[in-house]
Amino acid sequence: MLDLALSTLTSPPVLFFALGLFAALLRSDLALPEAVSKGLSLYLVLAIGFKGGVEMAAGASWAAAGVVLAGIALSAVLPLISFTALRATTRMGQVDAAAVAAHYGSISIVTFIAARDALSGLNVDASGHMVAVAAAMEAPAILTGLILAGRVASQSALQPAALSAATTSTPRSNRALAQECLTNGSIMLLLGSFVIGWVTGERGMASVEPFVSDIFRGLLCLFLLDMGLTAGRGLIGSWRQLRSSLLVHGLIMPAVGASIALPIGLGLGLSAGDLALLMTLCASASYIAVPAALRMALPQAQLTIPLTLSLGVTFPFNLLLGIPIYIAIARAVTG
């Protein structure tokens, strides 16, 4: 396990993330233009989706449906654990605790990509359908978070004078929320490129391999450098809001999520690579899709707290320590 951890920690993508984090904490002016950062993000999602689709085409299986359903269930349940822990250990209100919990039920696609890259570097195979699992786990946590926030209850508790206005605006807001979840750019690109890879298969891969494969790791390094800068600057700007109980939550929830995913993945008969990815997904926290949805659905929530926790605490933990631990455990229990 120590050799595996050292191999992962000394890989170029992780070291570039550490460089960005270090530069931000030293208040360096190192920065990537926003357009470049967004372009790198789109590229990585496209590449991982396309390669997952090609792998799925080479070995489609009904077992994939079971893993997707398990991922959906996990995404819906994990916020309940996070919410209960936050209410018991912090003074956060119901809405803010529900917002944080939703982030920890959803997933970080960048953490997933980093785990896939680590598995590839270790020559550990993972199934293409895990890309579909990642996409399916984005939205259920948002619904659970809204339920925990008492969104429906709060609307029914409005004063009679305001109730008629609420009944006319609620369907519209619900439709807008559903559209936000279903048309989120990263999810659409991930699923779309997955389908394209699945349809075109090895023939499609042969035509675009230099683009989606040969340069993938170099661009991942550049993107993680930017992620390190973003995480470090987020910590500098919001560290006063992170009390010790919240910091502990950001470090404990990855272990909780991975621990719950472990027996479920074993029960589904997942391979070492697929099990490591499922553990990684359950251990990660969203900082893209969930904030975008909650900004509209729960405008009263303080989203700087969950954003700083997920990006400034949980993401670095998973990248530097979590992923090698999940891979080591998955390899050990699957033989």
Side-chain angles (χ1 to χ4, degrees):
M1 183 171 176
L2 181 59
D3 290 341
L4 175 60
L6 288 174
S7 175
T8 305
L9 288 172
T10 56
S11 66
V14 172
L15 291 176
F16 272 102
F17 175 83
L19 173 62
L21 188 65
F22 182 68
L25 294 178
L26 289 182
R27 302 181 185 274
S28 167
D29 62 354
L30 176 64
L32 266 69
E34 184 178 351
V36 173
S37 178
K38 186 174 182 179
L40 288 171
S41 176
L42 292 174
Y43 164 78
L44 292 173
V45 171
L46 181 152
I48 203 72
F50 185 84
K51 288 191 286 187
V54 171
E55 293 166 12
M56 186 73 170
S61 165
W62 283 108
V67 186
V68 172
L69 291 175
I72 292 172
L74 286 165
S75 176
V77 169
L78 284 173
L80 297 173
I81 300 172
S82 176
F83 179 81
T84 302
L86 285 168
R87 295 288 279 171
T89 60
T90 72
R91 295 181 179 179
M92 295 188 77
Q94 180 178 352
V95 172
D96 288 335
V100 174
H103 285 71
Y104 279 92
S106 189
I107 62 101
S108 160
I109 191 62
V110 179
T111 308
F112 175 79
I113 290 172
R116 285 276 304 219
D117 182 72
L119 288 169
S120 177
L122 295 167
N123 295 316
V124 178
D125 293 331
S127 303
H129 63 249
M130 293 305 296
V131 174
V133 177
M137 290 181 70
E138 284 273 17
I142 298 174
L143 177 59
T144 301
L146 294 179
I147 294 172
L148 291 171
R151 185 167 181 264
V152 176
S154 64
Q155 288 170 348
S156 64
L158 293 172
Q159 296 296 325
L163 190 57
S164 59
T167 54
T168 58
S169 63
T170 298
R172 189 180 302 114
S173 64
N174 287 339
R175 285 197 300 270
L177 177 62
Q179 183 177 9
E180 176 69 34
C181 294
L182 295 175
T183 62
N184 176 270
S186 62
I187 296 302
M188 288 204 71
L189 181 59
L190 183 68
L191 288 176
S193 57
F194 177 83
V195 171
I196 292 171
W198 193 358
V199 170
T200 59
E202 291 296 337
R203 173 181 56 83
M205 174 57 82
S207 64
V208 297
E209 187 166 12
F211 177 71
V212 301
S213 185
D214 292 352
I215 65 172
F216 178 86
R217 210 153 197 246
L219 293 182
L220 177 61
C221 290
L222 190 58
F223 182 71
L224 286 178
L225 171 68
D226 185 55
M227 291 297 296
L229 291 166
T230 303
R233 286 166 184 158
L235 284 173
I236 291 173
S238 305
W239 68 270
R240 290 184 180 86
Q241 296 178 316
L242 297 182
R243 300 183 183 275
S244 58
S245 55
L246 285 174
L247 288 172
V248 170
H249 190 82
L251 295 172
I252 292 296
M253 274 307 295
V256 172
S259 298
I260 294 173
L262 177 59
I264 293 175
L266 286 174
L268 291 169
L270 299 185
S271 66
D274 290 357
L275 180 57
L277 288 179
L278 183 63
M279 293 172 69
T280 299
L281 287 170
C282 291
S284 65
S286 174
Y287 50 82
I288 299 175
V290 174
L294 293 190
R295 191 172 292 115
M296 175 174 54
L298 294 175
Q300 68 272 41
Q302 299 182 57
L303 293 181
T304 55
I305 296 175
L307 271 174
T308 304
L309 268 182
S310 59
L311 185 56
V313 178
T314 301
F315 180 72
F317 170 80
N318 277 325
L319 197 64
L320 299 174
L321 294 176
I323 290 174
I325 292 173
Y326 311 144
I327 294 175
I329 292 174
R331 294 176 74 177
V333 299
T334 57

